[in-house]
Amino acid sequence: MKKIKGIARDTLRFILEVSKSSHPNEFAGLLQAEEGIITEVLLLPGTESGESSASLSLFMIPNIAAAGSVHSHPTGIIKPSNADLQMFGKTGSCHIIVGFPYDLQSWKCFNSRGEETNLQIID
């Protein structure tokens, strides 16, 4: 898989809007990239969402290579939990967490070890 170098602005806006509309429940999905740019969010059937967590049904992943995962933290705390770190290791190398109030300043990207990384927004 190619190194992820950015996220399309429209894709980030979609993530922020769906996270906002899911509030106070968490939102979760998988990220797909083209030419190193995240361009799509894959919503898996069977995903369960609640106020304190969202669980992806990883057995429902189609035969694709996910670039990573995305989910929201309705509390606004944008830091991976232990459960997040366990999932990060199973779903690619780029993991986005968005938090309340779901604007362009309320998201971060992490690698599979939970270390914050820079992800450029591409127009």
Side-chain angles (χ1 to χ4, degrees):
M1 171 171 283
K2 288 188 173 194
K3 179 173 171 35
I4 303 300
K5 53 190 171 190
I7 183 169
R9 185 176 299 276
D10 289 344
T11 304
L12 179 57
R13 284 192 176 132
F14 170 79
I15 290 167
L16 294 168
E17 285 301 316
V18 75
S19 295
K20 188 177 191 176
S21 69
S22 298
H23 189 87
N25 292 332
E26 283 196 13
F27 157 76
L30 293 179
L31 301 171
Q32 291 191 275
E34 294 178 21
E35 303 296 320
I37 307 295
I38 296 168
T39 56
E40 292 185 45
V41 178
L42 179 61
L43 306 176
L44 294 179
T47 297
E48 295 181 17
S49 297
E51 290 185 21
S52 61
S53 68
S55 298
L56 292 171
S57 296
L58 296 180
F59 67 91
M60 295 296 288
I61 297 175
N63 191 17
I64 60 153
S69 66
V70 60
H71 72 282
S72 64
H73 281 182
T75 62
I77 299 169
I78 306 172
K79 180 181 175 190
S81 67
N82 287 335
D84 294 340
L85 294 173
Q86 288 179 355
M87 186 182 67
F88 287 2
K90 300 175 185 174
T91 55
S93 62
C94 181
H95 305 280
I96 296 173
I97 299 176
V98 299
F100 182 83
Y102 313 110
D103 59 25
L104 288 175
Q105 289 72 46
S106 59
W107 70 280
K108 293 181 182 177
C109 183
F110 301 89
N111 64 22
S112 295
R113 294 179 304 278
E115 300 163 337
E116 190 173 336
T117 61
N118 289 328
L119 188 65
Q120 183 178 0
I121 301 172
I122 309 288
D123 286 316

